[in-house]
Amino acid sequence: MVATAIPFIKSMEPSEAAKAAGAPVETDVSRVDPGKLLTIEWRGRPIWIVHRTKEMLRVLNKHDNLLADPRSEQPQQPPYAANPTRSIKPDFLVMVGVCTHLGCIPVYRPEPGAADLSPEWPGGFYCPCHGSKFDLAGRVFKNVPAPLNLEVPPYTYLSETRLLIGEEKARAAT
């Protein structure tokens, strides 16, 4: 009986493809120029890495009145990213590039005051499907369809420039 149970139990384990689909991914953030966005894939979802400029960081605390959850009180990020920049290192934003309304993919719109968005637009992400807006920390604006801030995945720094997405480790460099 034990001989037949072992193959049966083994068949319930995830396949190698399933393990690979959920495996952490590593990337080098040194290749992301300031102001630019890098998209990689993890678990079939786009992960955005934005190298924020000093100006982008400077404006993050200037528009809290426009945001639905400016202090990131909803659990859309790991505890180490529940801060004004929603990141481990302020210069680099790491988040899932999927709108929290219906799962659309927002567009990166870093330019402040974009005429088609609003003179008060601080730069960020715009979902053209239903009009949701998120700032450069992925925080959702008030009065848009999206109910929550963009999700920050679990991640850690393996070195100053190597980032591991999908896993948290105590050895994170700060």
Side-chain angles (χ1 to χ4, degrees):
M1 180 156 7
V2 172
T4 57
I6 291 174
F8 175 72
I9 292 170
K10 283 279 207 195
S11 73
M12 294 172 35
E13 292 180 3
S15 67
E16 289 306 312
K19 288 178 188 175
V25 292
E26 191 174 328
T27 192
D28 182 358
V29 297
S30 69
R31 62 188 177 139
V32 187
D33 291 331
K36 300 297 181 189
L37 172 126
L38 170 70
T39 303
I40 62 171
E41 185 178 336
W42 173 65
R43 292 187 175 176
R45 300 186 297 170
I47 301 298
W48 290 338
I49 301 167
V50 178
H51 187 170
R52 294 183 283 210
T53 64
K54 291 190 186 313
E55 181 60 20
M56 290 172 161
L57 289 168
R58 189 187 67 74
V59 301
L60 279 182
N61 65 352
K62 306 263 189 237
H63 56 268
D64 285 2
N65 61 314
L66 302 175
L67 304 173
D69 184 13
R71 289 186 275 297
S72 301
E73 293 172 357
Q74 294 295 317
Q76 290 297 104
Q77 63 281 317
Y80 51 80
N83 56 51
T85 62
R86 297 186 75 225
S87 60
I88 294 173
K89 294 182 179 184
D91 291 356
F92 289 98
L93 174 65
V94 178
M95 66 184 171
V96 178
V98 176
C99 182
T100 57
H101 177 229
L102 293 176
C104 302
I105 307 298
V107 179
Y108 181 49
R109 297 289 305 273
E111 67 283 355
D116 60 330
L117 295 175
S118 162
E120 298 161 345
W121 175 249
F125 304 88
Y126 173 68
C127 189
C129 299
H130 302 102
S132 292
K133 299 175 188 177
F134 305 89
D135 75 352
L136 288 165
R139 299 174 297 178
V140 68
F141 280 66
K142 293 178 185 174
N143 305 315
V144 298
L148 298 168
N149 294 341
L150 294 173
E151 178 186 351
V152 175
Y155 73 98
T156 190
Y157 282 89
L158 301 174
S159 71
E160 284 299 311
T161 61
R162 298 297 302 173
L163 186 65
L164 184 67
I165 297 160
E167 194 172 309
E168 300 168 353
K169 294 192 179 200
R171 65 182 178 187
T174 55

